[in-house]
Each structure stands twice: as C-alpha cells, then as structure tokens.
Amino acid sequence: MPNFSLKDEVFENAARQFPTPFHLYDETGLRKRARALNEAFSWCRDFREYFAVKALPNPTILRILKEEGCGLDCSSATELMLAKACGFGGEEVILSANAMPPEELAQARALGAFVNLDDISDIGLLRTHGGIPETICLRYNPGGEFSIGNTIMGNPGEAKYGFTKPQLKEGLAILKKEGAAAFGLHAFLSSNTTEPSYFPSLAELLLTLGKELAAESGLRFAFIDLSGGVGIPYRPDQPETEIRAVGEGVRKAYEALIPDGSVAVKTELGRWMTGPVGWLVTRAVHEKKIYRDYIGVDACAANLMRPAMYGAYHHITVCGKRDWPADHVYDVTGCLCENNDKFAINRNLPEIALGDLVVIHDTGAHGYSMGYNYNGRLRSAEILYTAEGGYRMIRRAETARDYFATLDLDPAAEALGLGPKA
Ligand SMILES: *Cc1c(COP(=O)(O)O)cnc(C)c1O
C-alpha cells in the first residue's frame, strides 16, 4: 500500500505557502523509518545504514539521517563533497562508484571513507590515487541469475558491476601484498524487491563467500555490505516490506555462519528509507478530451522521471477527494514534448477539476534527484514538513538563471540579463 500517513490538509497548507509543484518530505516519517531499520538490525554489534545519497541528495535530509545514526553511500565527487559539507567523514562514508574518474578514489581516501572497488583494474587506480587502505571493500558479481527458491530476483550476469569470484581471489592477494589487512564484501543483486528474504539470502551468500576468501587470503573478513534494493509498495495491492522480518532473516543467516559476531553488517538503502516519505504536489492546470481524457498538471518528467523512464507506477490522490468514487479514467500528464511524460495512464481517479491539488505518492527516492532540464523545464522546490508541523523550504525551485548558469560564457546569458554579472 502506498503511504497515506499525511492528511490532505498537510499538502493543502503547504500549497498555500509555496507555489506548486514541489516535493514534500515528512521529517517524522523519515526518522521513524531510520529508527525501524536500526531497530531491526539492533542484534548486530556493528550495524550501520549508509544512506544512498543519490536517492535524495538534500543536505537537510542527510543531516536528519546523521542524527539518526546513519552514514552515507556516495557515488561521485560531488556526493562526497555533499557528505563532507554535512559533517560526515571517516567510516561514516563509503564510495561505491564504477568507471569513476580516479581522482574520486583519492577524494574518498582523503575523507577517510571506505572505498568499495567495482573492478580489479580499480586496484591499480587506487594505488596511485589515495593509496591502498587497511580495510578495503570489494563489490561481487556472481553472474548468471540470482534466484530465491524458484523466483528470479535479478540478472547479475547482465549487470556491469562488480568482480567475478576468481577476480576477488586475485584482487585480495594483490591487496594483501600492498598492505591491506581486512576486507568487506558488497553486492547489489535485486532492485526494488519487497521480498523479505532478499537481504537474508544475500547475507548468506556474502558471509559464506567472505569466510572462504578470508581463509584463503589470510585477510580479516571485516564486514558485509548488503547495499540497497529493498523495495517499497508503489501500488495499492503491494505489501509493505517488513523491515523487522528482513533484519530477523539476516540475523538467522548471520548467527549460523558468524557465531562469534566478528563481521559487521552495513546497508545502503535509498528507496526504502526515503521513497515513501516524499510526495510530488502538483496542481491540475489543464484538461483535454480527445481519444482519451487528459489532465495536465504543473509538474512534468523533469520533476519525476521514473514513470517516463521505467514506466513506473506512482499512486495518485486528489486532495479533498480521497473518498470520492474513482469513476473517471485519465492520463495524468506533464507538459514535455514527449508522449511518455505521463504520471498515470488510463488511471481510475475521482473527477478532477482545474485547480485541484494532485498528489503523486512515493517520490522521496530517485524523484527530485533524477530531474533534468529537457524542454527548458526547471526543477521544483523541496519542502520539509517538519516534526513540529511546520513547512520549511529546503531547496528553492530553479529559475531561468540556473538554466543559463552553465552558459555564462555565451553572450546570450548576458543579453537576457542572466549572465554572472547581472
Ligand atoms: C542505487 C544504489 C543504492 C540504493 O538503491 P535503492 O534501490 O535506492 O535502495 C545503494 N547502493 C548502491 C551502490 C547503489 O548504486
């Protein structure tokens, strides 16, 4: 079931203070999720969630997660800068990148962050960019299909990430020679899965492999990093992932394999953490009836790309009309010159009037952050609904000046009064 934790009143009040569209994030809901995750893994002596920054790279959100004891999983130089600016450092940060500029490895090392190497060739890059650390993380790709029981959960054989098993062995031997003393293992084999046995199965796989690699390499097996991938129910008929059951499942696998509790457990959840506590608040601004009925809203794929990019479902409600019968069928669209710019297709909804607030659910992860500027459309503001019940703008909406900022070398920006000197 998508998240209905906020009343329509919250969206209506926010829309009185700030022009639509905007993403609204619920601080209380966010803290609850962070606490539930930490509680689910509280059996583990050394557990830490490294929130995947790319899911919601807003410093206010990152500082809230820091208060809840989370670290950060960064994927680029700018995300490392963001982490540092928010006060994260040392072992609170992990860099998981692939085909990355080697300077980013040096930047992560300078921050004291864990480095999660994606490929055996990265060892040479790390040697010359920051140096080999005492503890190093390696990303594993088992190839083939990843199944739990009869269900195919993912297709690692087609994924660009990670080391093969022989490469892990070879890599660890090299790393040991170059001064590493301990290693962690990371894998991401299934995306947006609400199947509670995903993390337990992955933990079993990584712990079994890690023990074998430790025995063979003589390096200490320091941690497993289960990464992200735990899903959320975007659709009304989908069940919520029981995070407590996920934690319990991992505990069972862990206790069977690591009875002395010597291996730390890390996660890098993005979607599960923030997805359900974000909403894209839009207004119906256009109605059109041709072969279908269309409602145009004031947001577009530039504000939320998932439907256009993946055909992803996002639940939609209309403020003040939650109890109305869903007896109209609409395509809910944005304004891009792209026919995939549709937040909903043939969706049963209550009758929508122009001016209605149309709320798109579960936009707190991979929502704003995937935004772009196609058609010259600008990204929206981000609003925090605070634990005290207030509304705080935590990112302003883009303006034309932002759009022209990268053209400040061109006379066009100056001519429009939007150059750097204006
Ligand atoms: C994207 C990503 C995550 C977060 O994934 P979710 O599906 O949002 O949980 C975590 N770790 C890595 C390395 C990633 O690339």
Side-chain angles (χ1 to χ4, degrees), residues 52 54 73 96 139 186 188 227-229 268-271 366:
K54 70 171 196 258
D73 166 39
S96 280
R139 184 167 186 165
H186 170 289
F188 190 150
S227 192
E268 301 169 347
L269 295 178
R271 188 189 316 274
H366 313 295

Side-chain angles (χ1 to χ4, degrees), residues 74-123:
C74 298
S75 60
S76 65
T78 38
E79 288 186 359
L80 286 169
M81 289 166 67
L82 188 53
K84 190 176 175 190
C86 292
F88 293 84
E91 301 199 338
E92 294 169 334
V93 179
I94 187 161
L95 174 71
S96 280
N98 64 92
M100 71 300 245
E103 298 76 42
E104 295 184 351
L105 296 171
Q107 204 177 329
R109 293 283 287 121
L111 195 59
F114 287 116
V115 175
N116 179 27
L117 294 183
D118 182 70
D119 184 56
I120 191 151
S121 66
D122 294 341
I123 296 173

Side-chain angles (χ1 to χ4, degrees), residues 49-55 73-75 94-98 116 139 161 186-188 190-193 199 225-231 234 267-274 365-366:
E49 152 73 358
Y50 291 72
F51 176 66
V53 175
K54 70 171 196 258
D73 166 39
C74 298
S75 60
I94 187 161
L95 174 71
S96 280
N98 64 92
N116 179 27
R139 184 167 186 165
Y161 308 105
H186 170 289
F188 190 150
S190 184
S191 193
N192 190 23
T193 174
F199 264 15
D225 184 342
L226 299 172
S227 192
V230 175
Y234 285 101
T267 57
E268 301 169 347
L269 295 178
R271 188 189 316 274
W272 184 88
M273 188 65 92
T274 55
H366 313 295

